[in-house]
Amino acid sequence: MRLSRRLATIDSFVESGYQAIWDCCCDHGLLGMQLVAREVANTVHFVDIVPALMDELTAKLARYSPIQGVAHWQVHCMDVAAIELNFQQRNLVIIAGVGGELLLRFINHILAAQQQFANTHKNEVLAELEFIICPVHHTYKVREGLLEQGMKLINEAIISENNRFYEVIHISKQATRSLTLTGSSMWHRGQPLHYQYQQKLLTHYQRMLNQNPIYYQQVINSYTQVLEP
């Protein structure tokens, strides 16, 4: 099956050289299967909490990727918060299709586990840990949480799919570009869809003003500026 625009964008962000890629909340595993086929990692891990989906995916992988075998892909039926990464390997964790609050919980849990590993293995060198995320909503809050964790930007994009807008954000603590609350490099003044996305965000936060006027007016001011000359 062809990848959706969201998944194709995530796929385009992934270069080779990872020891492990974690396709979290993978659903039917289409993205991860593409990454297996591209051989961009030693092992692609498929993670979802729905047993029926994971059984179906395991059978599909065994059928279409038998040569690679489980050394190149592994299926995990579990909560994303329960995955165990080897922090001495270069990991890429992909989380898409979930809400912002849940997504941040997953990221914070993984980063806490990394910090615990660092505290108990002070002489070990940690490899780079990257995330590619695509929240369903609350992206501004997600970016706030990422900044609190010291995340920096590798790449970002705005995607329009099925009359909805999404942000794909590639981040790590070792990156050199600053992450911003509203996004920077993903906005393009010559792209009509980006103006539509801006207006949708402004309309949404205008409705939120009565809940916290000072905070949401700041958000509105920030999004107003993203496409200014």
PDB file of all heavy atoms in Angstrom, residues 65-102:
ATOM      1  N   SER A  65       8.899 -10.139   4.419  1.00  0.00           N
ATOM      2  CA  SER A  65      10.293  -9.821   4.749  1.00  0.00           C
ATOM      3  C   SER A  65      10.976 -11.021   5.401  1.00  0.00           C
ATOM      4  O   SER A  65      11.650 -10.895   6.424  1.00  0.00           O
ATOM      5  CB  SER A  65      10.347  -8.621   5.694  1.00  0.00           C
ATOM      6  OG  SER A  65       9.695  -7.501   5.149  1.00  0.00           O
ATOM      7  N   PRO A  66      10.831 -12.207   4.826  1.00  0.00           N
ATOM      8  CA  PRO A  66      11.371 -13.407   5.485  1.00  0.00           C
ATOM      9  C   PRO A  66      12.892 -13.449   5.491  1.00  0.00           C
ATOM     10  O   PRO A  66      13.497 -14.050   6.374  1.00  0.00           O
ATOM     11  CB  PRO A  66      10.787 -14.547   4.649  1.00  0.00           C
ATOM     12  CG  PRO A  66      10.580 -13.945   3.289  1.00  0.00           C
ATOM     13  CD  PRO A  66      10.189 -12.517   3.541  1.00  0.00           C
ATOM     14  N   ILE A  67      13.532 -12.838   4.500  1.00  0.00           N
ATOM     15  CA  ILE A  67      14.993 -12.886   4.427  1.00  0.00           C
ATOM     16  C   ILE A  67      15.608 -12.103   5.573  1.00  0.00           C
ATOM     17  O   ILE A  67      16.553 -12.541   6.223  1.00  0.00           O
ATOM     18  CB  ILE A  67      15.483 -12.345   3.070  1.00  0.00           C
ATOM     19  CG1 ILE A  67      14.955 -13.230   1.935  1.00  0.00           C
ATOM     20  CG2 ILE A  67      17.004 -12.289   3.027  1.00  0.00           C
ATOM     21  CD1 ILE A  67      15.318 -12.728   0.549  1.00  0.00           C
ATOM     22  N   GLN A  68      15.046 -10.940   5.830  1.00  0.00           N
ATOM     23  CA  GLN A  68      15.571 -10.132   6.923  1.00  0.00           C
ATOM     24  C   GLN A  68      15.354 -10.820   8.268  1.00  0.00           C
ATOM     25  O   GLN A  68      16.227 -10.868   9.105  1.00  0.00           O
ATOM     26  CB  GLN A  68      14.894  -8.747   6.936  1.00  0.00           C
ATOM     27  CG  GLN A  68      15.305  -7.858   5.768  1.00  0.00           C
ATOM     28  CD  GLN A  68      14.363  -8.036   4.580  1.00  0.00           C
ATOM     29  OE1 GLN A  68      13.609  -9.002   4.519  1.00  0.00           O
ATOM     30  NE2 GLN A  68      14.409  -7.108   3.639  1.00  0.00           N
ATOM     31  N   GLY A  69      14.155 -11.361   8.453  1.00  0.00           N
ATOM     32  CA  GLY A  69      13.858 -12.059   9.689  1.00  0.00           C
ATOM     33  C   GLY A  69      13.824 -11.148  10.895  1.00  0.00           C
ATOM     34  O   GLY A  69      13.956  -9.940  10.794  1.00  0.00           O
ATOM     35  N   VAL A  70      13.673 -11.728  12.071  1.00  0.00           N
ATOM     36  CA  VAL A  70      13.489 -10.936  13.282  1.00  0.00           C
ATOM     37  C   VAL A  70      14.754 -10.206  13.689  1.00  0.00           C
ATOM     38  O   VAL A  70      14.719  -9.345  14.561  1.00  0.00           O
ATOM     39  CB  VAL A  70      12.996 -11.830  14.447  1.00  0.00           C
ATOM     40  CG1 VAL A  70      11.600 -12.339  14.170  1.00  0.00           C
ATOM     41  CG2 VAL A  70      13.960 -12.976  14.702  1.00  0.00           C
ATOM     42  N   ALA A  71      15.896 -10.521  13.102  1.00  0.00           N
ATOM     43  CA  ALA A  71      17.111  -9.748  13.397  1.00  0.00           C
ATOM     44  C   ALA A  71      16.989  -8.326  12.862  1.00  0.00           C
ATOM     45  O   ALA A  71      17.639  -7.406  13.347  1.00  0.00           O
ATOM     46  CB  ALA A  71      18.331 -10.434  12.787  1.00  0.00           C
ATOM     47  N   HIS A  72      16.152  -8.143  11.823  1.00  0.00           N
ATOM     48  CA  HIS A  72      15.994  -6.828  11.211  1.00  0.00           C
ATOM     49  C   HIS A  72      14.664  -6.180  11.563  1.00  0.00           C
ATOM     50  O   HIS A  72      14.468  -5.006  11.276  1.00  0.00           O
ATOM     51  CB  HIS A  72      16.141  -6.930   9.684  1.00  0.00           C
ATOM     52  CG  HIS A  72      17.547  -7.184   9.254  1.00  0.00           C
ATOM     53  ND1 HIS A  72      18.356  -6.230   8.702  1.00  0.00           N
ATOM     54  CD2 HIS A  72      18.306  -8.301   9.337  1.00  0.00           C
ATOM     55  CE1 HIS A  72      19.547  -6.734   8.428  1.00  0.00           C
ATOM     56  NE2 HIS A  72      19.535  -7.989   8.802  1.00  0.00           N
ATOM     57  N   TRP A  73      13.744  -6.926  12.142  1.00  0.00           N
ATOM     58  CA  TRP A  73      12.501  -6.341  12.604  1.00  0.00           C
ATOM     59  C   TRP A  73      11.984  -7.128  13.810  1.00  0.00           C
ATOM     60  O   TRP A  73      12.176  -8.331  13.907  1.00  0.00           O
ATOM     61  CB  TRP A  73      11.428  -6.294  11.519  1.00  0.00           C
ATOM     62  CG  TRP A  73      11.130  -7.603  10.819  1.00  0.00           C
ATOM     63  CD1 TRP A  73      11.637  -8.035   9.631  1.00  0.00           C
ATOM     64  CD2 TRP A  73      10.253  -8.652  11.269  1.00  0.00           C
ATOM     65  NE1 TRP A  73      11.144  -9.286   9.305  1.00  0.00           N
ATOM     66  CE2 TRP A  73      10.279  -9.673  10.290  1.00  0.00           C
ATOM     67  CE3 TRP A  73       9.441  -8.812  12.390  1.00  0.00           C
ATOM     68  CZ2 TRP A  73       9.552 -10.850  10.405  1.00  0.00           C
ATOM     69  CZ3 TRP A  73       8.698  -9.981  12.529  1.00  0.00           C
ATOM     70  CH2 TRP A  73       8.761 -10.991  11.532  1.00  0.00           C
ATOM     71  N   GLN A  74      11.356  -6.416  14.723  1.00  0.00           N
ATOM     72  CA  GLN A  74      10.752  -7.042  15.891  1.00  0.00           C
ATOM     73  C   GLN A  74       9.406  -6.376  16.153  1.00  0.00           C
ATOM     74  O   GLN A  74       9.270  -5.164  15.959  1.00  0.00           O
ATOM     75  CB  GLN A  74      11.656  -6.920  17.119  1.00  0.00           C
ATOM     76  CG  GLN A  74      12.957  -7.688  17.006  1.00  0.00           C
ATOM     77  CD  GLN A  74      13.795  -7.600  18.263  1.00  0.00           C
ATOM     78  OE1 GLN A  74      13.270  -7.368  19.358  1.00  0.00           O
ATOM     79  NE2 GLN A  74      15.100  -7.780  18.123  1.00  0.00           N
ATOM     80  N   VAL A  75       8.453  -7.160  16.585  1.00  0.00           N
ATOM     81  CA  VAL A  75       7.106  -6.671  16.867  1.00  0.00           C
ATOM     82  C   VAL A  75       6.868  -6.736  18.369  1.00  0.00           C
ATOM     83  O   VAL A  75       7.105  -7.769  18.997  1.00  0.00           O
ATOM     84  CB  VAL A  75       6.046  -7.501  16.116  1.00  0.00           C
ATOM     85  CG1 VAL A  75       4.643  -7.032  16.489  1.00  0.00           C
ATOM     86  CG2 VAL A  75       6.262  -7.395  14.608  1.00  0.00           C
ATOM     87  N   HIS A  76       6.410  -5.641  18.950  1.00  0.00           N
ATOM     88  CA  HIS A  76       6.185  -5.556  20.395  1.00  0.00           C
ATOM     89  C   HIS A  76       4.744  -5.112  20.648  1.00  0.00           C
ATOM     90  O   HIS A  76       4.348  -4.016  20.243  1.00  0.00           O
ATOM     91  CB  HIS A  76       7.129  -4.548  21.034  1.00  0.00           C
ATOM     92  CG  HIS A  76       8.572  -4.732  20.671  1.00  0.00           C
ATOM     93  ND1 HIS A  76       9.415  -5.557  21.364  1.00  0.00           N
ATOM     94  CD2 HIS A  76       9.306  -4.179  19.656  1.00  0.00           C
ATOM     95  CE1 HIS A  76      10.620  -5.503  20.819  1.00  0.00           C
ATOM     96  NE2 HIS A  76      10.578  -4.677  19.776  1.00  0.00           N
ATOM     97  N   CYS A  77       3.989  -5.946  21.309  1.00  0.00           N
ATOM     98  CA  CYS A  77       2.625  -5.582  21.694  1.00  0.00           C
ATOM     99  C   CYS A  77       2.679  -5.053  23.121  1.00  0.00           C
ATOM    100  O   CYS A  77       2.633  -5.816  24.098  1.00  0.00           O
ATOM    101  CB  CYS A  77       1.694  -6.789  21.594  1.00  0.00           C
ATOM    102  SG  CYS A  77      -0.040  -6.385  21.912  1.00  0.00           S
ATOM    103  N   MET A  78       2.822  -3.733  23.233  1.00  0.00           N
ATOM    104  CA  MET A  78       2.970  -3.122  24.556  1.00  0.00           C
ATOM    105  C   MET A  78       2.714  -1.627  24.474  1.00  0.00           C
ATOM    106  O   MET A  78       2.656  -1.045  23.387  1.00  0.00           O
ATOM    107  CB  MET A  78       4.385  -3.360  25.106  1.00  0.00           C
ATOM    108  CG  MET A  78       5.486  -2.752  24.246  1.00  0.00           C
ATOM    109  SD  MET A  78       7.137  -2.858  25.021  1.00  0.00           S
ATOM    110  CE  MET A  78       7.327  -4.622  25.167  1.00  0.00           C
ATOM    111  N   ASP A  79       2.575  -1.024  25.647  1.00  0.00           N
ATOM    112  CA  ASP A  79       2.484   0.423  25.746  1.00  0.00           C
ATOM    113  C   ASP A  79       3.836   1.023  25.363  1.00  0.00           C
ATOM    114  O   ASP A  79       4.894   0.486  25.727  1.00  0.00           O
ATOM    115  CB  ASP A  79       2.127   0.799  27.182  1.00  0.00           C
ATOM    116  CG  ASP A  79       1.757   2.267  27.329  1.00  0.00           C
ATOM    117  OD1 ASP A  79       2.584   3.131  26.991  1.00  0.00           O
ATOM    118  OD2 ASP A  79       0.632   2.550  27.793  1.00  0.00           O
ATOM    119  N   VAL A  80       3.801   2.142  24.649  1.00  0.00           N
ATOM    120  CA  VAL A  80       5.050   2.784  24.239  1.00  0.00           C
ATOM    121  C   VAL A  80       5.897   3.142  25.455  1.00  0.00           C
ATOM    122  O   VAL A  80       7.133   3.078  25.409  1.00  0.00           O
ATOM    123  CB  VAL A  80       4.755   4.040  23.393  1.00  0.00           C
ATOM    124  CG1 VAL A  80       6.030   4.803  23.083  1.00  0.00           C
ATOM    125  CG2 VAL A  80       4.034   3.653  22.110  1.00  0.00           C
ATOM    126  N   ALA A  81       5.259   3.503  26.558  1.00  0.00           N
ATOM    127  CA  ALA A  81       5.996   3.867  27.763  1.00  0.00           C
ATOM    128  C   ALA A  81       6.793   2.702  28.343  1.00  0.00           C
ATOM    129  O   ALA A  81       7.667   2.911  29.186  1.00  0.00           O
ATOM    130  CB  ALA A  81       5.040   4.413  28.817  1.00  0.00           C
ATOM    131  N   ALA A  82       6.533   1.480  27.876  1.00  0.00           N
ATOM    132  CA  ALA A  82       7.215   0.301  28.421  1.00  0.00           C
ATOM    133  C   ALA A  82       8.391  -0.156  27.566  1.00  0.00           C
ATOM    134  O   ALA A  82       9.085  -1.106  27.939  1.00  0.00           O
ATOM    135  CB  ALA A  82       6.218  -0.856  28.570  1.00  0.00           C
ATOM    136  N   ILE A  83       8.637   0.486  26.426  1.00  0.00           N
ATOM    137  CA  ILE A  83       9.737   0.034  25.568  1.00  0.00           C
ATOM    138  C   ILE A  83      11.076   0.297  26.261  1.00  0.00           C
ATOM    139  O   ILE A  83      11.227   1.242  27.033  1.00  0.00           O
ATOM    140  CB  ILE A  83       9.711   0.690  24.173  1.00  0.00           C
ATOM    141  CG1 ILE A  83       9.924   2.203  24.271  1.00  0.00           C
ATOM    142  CG2 ILE A  83       8.404   0.369  23.474  1.00  0.00           C
ATOM    143  CD1 ILE A  83      10.028   2.873  22.908  1.00  0.00           C
ATOM    144  N   GLU A  84      12.053  -0.561  25.977  1.00  0.00           N
ATOM    145  CA  GLU A  84      13.378  -0.442  26.585  1.00  0.00           C
ATOM    146  C   GLU A  84      14.407  -0.244  25.484  1.00  0.00           C
ATOM    147  O   GLU A  84      14.656  -1.133  24.672  1.00  0.00           O
ATOM    148  CB  GLU A  84      13.698  -1.690  27.411  1.00  0.00           C
ATOM    149  CG  GLU A  84      12.761  -1.892  28.602  1.00  0.00           C
ATOM    150  CD  GLU A  84      13.156  -3.089  29.445  1.00  0.00           C
ATOM    151  OE1 GLU A  84      14.166  -3.753  29.113  1.00  0.00           O
ATOM    152  OE2 GLU A  84      12.443  -3.363  30.433  1.00  0.00           O
ATOM    153  N   LEU A  85      15.007   0.938  25.465  1.00  0.00           N
ATOM    154  CA  LEU A  85      15.999   1.276  24.464  1.00  0.00           C
ATOM    155  C   LEU A  85      17.410   0.992  24.985  1.00  0.00           C
ATOM    156  O   LEU A  85      17.666   1.098  26.188  1.00  0.00           O
ATOM    157  CB  LEU A  85      15.910   2.758  24.084  1.00  0.00           C
ATOM    158  CG  LEU A  85      14.826   3.194  23.101  1.00  0.00           C
ATOM    159  CD1 LEU A  85      13.431   3.005  23.673  1.00  0.00           C
ATOM    160  CD2 LEU A  85      15.030   4.648  22.689  1.00  0.00           C
ATOM    161  N   ASN A  86      18.292   0.645  24.081  1.00  0.00           N
ATOM    162  CA  ASN A  86      19.716   0.565  24.382  1.00  0.00           C
ATOM    163  C   ASN A  86      20.295   1.945  24.085  1.00  0.00           C
ATOM    164  O   ASN A  86      20.467   2.318  22.926  1.00  0.00           O
ATOM    165  CB  ASN A  86      20.378  -0.513  23.533  1.00  0.00           C
ATOM    166  CG  ASN A  86      21.867  -0.639  23.825  1.00  0.00           C
ATOM    167  OD1 ASN A  86      22.475   0.235  24.459  1.00  0.00           O
ATOM    168  ND2 ASN A  86      22.479  -1.717  23.360  1.00  0.00           N
ATOM    169  N   PHE A  87      20.605   2.696  25.126  1.00  0.00           N
ATOM    170  CA  PHE A  87      21.003   4.088  24.939  1.00  0.00           C
ATOM    171  C   PHE A  87      22.447   4.236  24.472  1.00  0.00           C
ATOM    172  O   PHE A  87      22.911   5.355  24.265  1.00  0.00           O
ATOM    173  CB  PHE A  87      20.753   4.880  26.219  1.00  0.00           C
ATOM    174  CG  PHE A  87      19.293   4.978  26.568  1.00  0.00           C
ATOM    175  CD1 PHE A  87      18.773   4.282  27.644  1.00  0.00           C
ATOM    176  CD2 PHE A  87      18.442   5.753  25.800  1.00  0.00           C
ATOM    177  CE1 PHE A  87      17.430   4.361  27.964  1.00  0.00           C
ATOM    178  CE2 PHE A  87      17.092   5.839  26.108  1.00  0.00           C
ATOM    179  CZ  PHE A  87      16.579   5.143  27.191  1.00  0.00           C
ATOM    180  N   GLN A  88      23.144   3.100  24.300  1.00  0.00           N
ATOM    181  CA  GLN A  88      24.480   3.145  23.703  1.00  0.00           C
ATOM    182  C   GLN A  88      24.401   2.960  22.184  1.00  0.00           C
ATOM    183  O   GLN A  88      25.421   2.994  21.506  1.00  0.00           O
ATOM    184  CB  GLN A  88      25.374   2.083  24.325  1.00  0.00           C
ATOM    185  CG  GLN A  88      25.670   2.352  25.800  1.00  0.00           C
ATOM    186  CD  GLN A  88      26.421   1.219  26.453  1.00  0.00           C
ATOM    187  OE1 GLN A  88      25.856   0.204  26.862  1.00  0.00           O
ATOM    188  NE2 GLN A  88      27.728   1.399  26.537  1.00  0.00           N
ATOM    189  N   GLN A  89      23.201   2.767  21.688  1.00  0.00           N
ATOM    190  CA  GLN A  89      22.965   2.678  20.254  1.00  0.00           C
ATOM    191  C   GLN A  89      22.267   3.941  19.781  1.00  0.00           C
ATOM    192  O   GLN A  89      21.587   4.620  20.553  1.00  0.00           O
ATOM    193  CB  GLN A  89      22.086   1.468  19.922  1.00  0.00           C
ATOM    194  CG  GLN A  89      22.715   0.132  20.224  1.00  0.00           C
ATOM    195  CD  GLN A  89      21.809  -1.017  19.809  1.00  0.00           C
ATOM    196  OE1 GLN A  89      20.619  -0.824  19.564  1.00  0.00           O
ATOM    197  NE2 GLN A  89      22.373  -2.209  19.729  1.00  0.00           N
ATOM    198  N   ARG A  90      22.430   4.242  18.501  1.00  0.00           N
ATOM    199  CA  ARG A  90      21.732   5.383  17.929  1.00  0.00           C
ATOM    200  C   ARG A  90      20.287   4.970  17.651  1.00  0.00           C
ATOM    201  O   ARG A  90      20.024   4.130  16.791  1.00  0.00           O
ATOM    202  CB  ARG A  90      22.415   5.848  16.647  1.00  0.00           C
ATOM    203  CG  ARG A  90      21.806   7.149  16.092  1.00  0.00           C
ATOM    204  CD  ARG A  90      22.431   7.539  14.774  1.00  0.00           C
ATOM    205  NE  ARG A  90      21.835   8.765  14.248  1.00  0.00           N
ATOM    206  CZ  ARG A  90      21.824   9.104  12.972  1.00  0.00           C
ATOM    207  NH1 ARG A  90      22.388   8.304  12.068  1.00  0.00           N
ATOM    208  NH2 ARG A  90      21.255  10.229  12.579  1.00  0.00           N
ATOM    209  N   ASN A  91      19.351   5.583  18.389  1.00  0.00           N
ATOM    210  CA  ASN A  91      17.930   5.253  18.288  1.00  0.00           C
ATOM    211  C   ASN A  91      17.156   6.395  17.651  1.00  0.00           C
ATOM    212  O   ASN A  91      17.431   7.569  17.895  1.00  0.00           O
ATOM    213  CB  ASN A  91      17.337   5.010  19.682  1.00  0.00           C
ATOM    214  CG  ASN A  91      17.765   3.704  20.302  1.00  0.00           C
ATOM    215  OD1 ASN A  91      17.177   2.656  20.036  1.00  0.00           O
ATOM    216  ND2 ASN A  91      18.800   3.757  21.127  1.00  0.00           N
ATOM    217  N   LEU A  92      16.164   6.025  16.853  1.00  0.00           N
ATOM    218  CA  LEU A  92      15.163   6.965  16.356  1.00  0.00           C
ATOM    219  C   LEU A  92      13.805   6.454  16.807  1.00  0.00           C
ATOM    220  O   LEU A  92      13.424   5.324  16.487  1.00  0.00           O
ATOM    221  CB  LEU A  92      15.205   7.072  14.829  1.00  0.00           C
ATOM    222  CG  LEU A  92      14.038   7.823  14.177  1.00  0.00           C
ATOM    223  CD1 LEU A  92      14.014   9.287  14.608  1.00  0.00           C
ATOM    224  CD2 LEU A  92      14.102   7.707  12.651  1.00  0.00           C
ATOM    225  N   VAL A  93      13.078   7.273  17.552  1.00  0.00           N
ATOM    226  CA  VAL A  93      11.747   6.911  18.025  1.00  0.00           C
ATOM    227  C   VAL A  93      10.730   7.734  17.240  1.00  0.00           C
ATOM    228  O   VAL A  93      10.774   8.961  17.259  1.00  0.00           O
ATOM    229  CB  VAL A  93      11.604   7.173  19.535  1.00  0.00           C
ATOM    230  CG1 VAL A  93      10.190   6.808  20.000  1.00  0.00           C
ATOM    231  CG2 VAL A  93      12.653   6.389  20.317  1.00  0.00           C
ATOM    232  N   ILE A  94       9.824   7.059  16.549  1.00  0.00           N
ATOM    233  CA  ILE A  94       8.793   7.715  15.749  1.00  0.00           C
ATOM    234  C   ILE A  94       7.453   7.531  16.453  1.00  0.00           C
ATOM    235  O   ILE A  94       7.044   6.407  16.754  1.00  0.00           O
ATOM    236  CB  ILE A  94       8.723   7.120  14.331  1.00  0.00           C
ATOM    237  CG1 ILE A  94      10.070   7.275  13.612  1.00  0.00           C
ATOM    238  CG2 ILE A  94       7.606   7.773  13.517  1.00  0.00           C
ATOM    239  CD1 ILE A  94      10.147   6.537  12.287  1.00  0.00           C
ATOM    240  N   ILE A  95       6.779   8.646  16.728  1.00  0.00           N
ATOM    241  CA  ILE A  95       5.468   8.593  17.381  1.00  0.00           C
ATOM    242  C   ILE A  95       4.520   9.469  16.585  1.00  0.00           C
ATOM    243  O   ILE A  95       4.711  10.685  16.498  1.00  0.00           O
ATOM    244  CB  ILE A  95       5.526   9.081  18.844  1.00  0.00           C
ATOM    245  CG1 ILE A  95       6.652   8.395  19.620  1.00  0.00           C
ATOM    246  CG2 ILE A  95       4.181   8.837  19.530  1.00  0.00           C
ATOM    247  CD1 ILE A  95       6.843   8.929  21.030  1.00  0.00           C
ATOM    248  N   ALA A  96       3.515   8.873  15.996  1.00  0.00           N
ATOM    249  CA  ALA A  96       2.550   9.608  15.173  1.00  0.00           C
ATOM    250  C   ALA A  96       1.146   9.096  15.454  1.00  0.00           C
ATOM    251  O   ALA A  96       0.956   7.947  15.872  1.00  0.00           O
ATOM    252  CB  ALA A  96       2.879   9.457  13.687  1.00  0.00           C
ATOM    253  N   GLY A  97       0.179   9.981  15.231  1.00  0.00           N
ATOM    254  CA  GLY A  97      -1.211   9.549  15.312  1.00  0.00           C
ATOM    255  C   GLY A  97      -1.804   9.536  16.700  1.00  0.00           C
ATOM    256  O   GLY A  97      -2.867   8.940  16.918  1.00  0.00           O
ATOM    257  N   VAL A  98      -1.134  10.179  17.668  1.00  0.00           N
ATOM    258  CA  VAL A  98      -1.695  10.262  19.024  1.00  0.00           C
ATOM    259  C   VAL A  98      -1.765  11.732  19.440  1.00  0.00           C
ATOM    260  O   VAL A  98      -1.116  12.593  18.845  1.00  0.00           O
ATOM    261  CB  VAL A  98      -0.860   9.453  20.046  1.00  0.00           C
ATOM    262  CG1 VAL A  98      -0.831   7.989  19.669  1.00  0.00           C
ATOM    263  CG2 VAL A  98       0.558  10.014  20.156  1.00  0.00           C
ATOM    264  N   GLY A  99      -2.531  12.008  20.478  1.00  0.00           N
ATOM    265  CA  GLY A  99      -2.692  13.375  20.952  1.00  0.00           C
ATOM    266  C   GLY A  99      -1.433  13.906  21.605  1.00  0.00           C
ATOM    267  O   GLY A  99      -0.536  13.155  21.997  1.00  0.00           O
ATOM    268  N   GLY A 100      -1.374  15.221  21.731  1.00  0.00           N
ATOM    269  CA  GLY A 100      -0.176  15.856  22.248  1.00  0.00           C
ATOM    270  C   GLY A 100       0.173  15.464  23.669  1.00  0.00           C
ATOM    271  O   GLY A 100       1.339  15.246  23.997  1.00  0.00           O
ATOM    272  N   GLU A 101      -0.814  15.372  24.545  1.00  0.00           N
ATOM    273  CA  GLU A 101      -0.557  15.044  25.945  1.00  0.00           C
ATOM    274  C   GLU A 101       0.031  13.648  26.084  1.00  0.00           C
ATOM    275  O   GLU A 101       1.019  13.432  26.804  1.00  0.00           O
ATOM    276  CB  GLU A 101      -1.850  15.156  26.755  1.00  0.00           C
ATOM    277  CG  GLU A 101      -1.663  14.917  28.245  1.00  0.00           C
ATOM    278  CD  GLU A 101      -2.951  15.113  29.029  1.00  0.00           C
ATOM    279  OE1 GLU A 101      -3.914  15.687  28.480  1.00  0.00           O
ATOM    280  OE2 GLU A 101      -2.982  14.698  30.208  1.00  0.00           O
ATOM    281  N   LEU A 102      -0.541  12.686  25.370  1.00  0.00           N
ATOM    282  CA  LEU A 102      -0.040  11.318  25.422  1.00  0.00           C
ATOM    283  C   LEU A 102       1.345  11.239  24.797  1.00  0.00           C
ATOM    284  O   LEU A 102       2.242  10.552  25.312  1.00  0.00           O
ATOM    285  CB  LEU A 102      -1.005  10.379  24.699  1.00  0.00           C
ATOM    286  CG  LEU A 102      -0.636   8.897  24.667  1.00  0.00           C
ATOM    287  CD1 LEU A 102      -0.510   8.337  26.076  1.00  0.00           C
ATOM    288  CD2 LEU A 102      -1.670   8.106  23.870  1.00  0.00           C
TER     289      LEU A 102
END
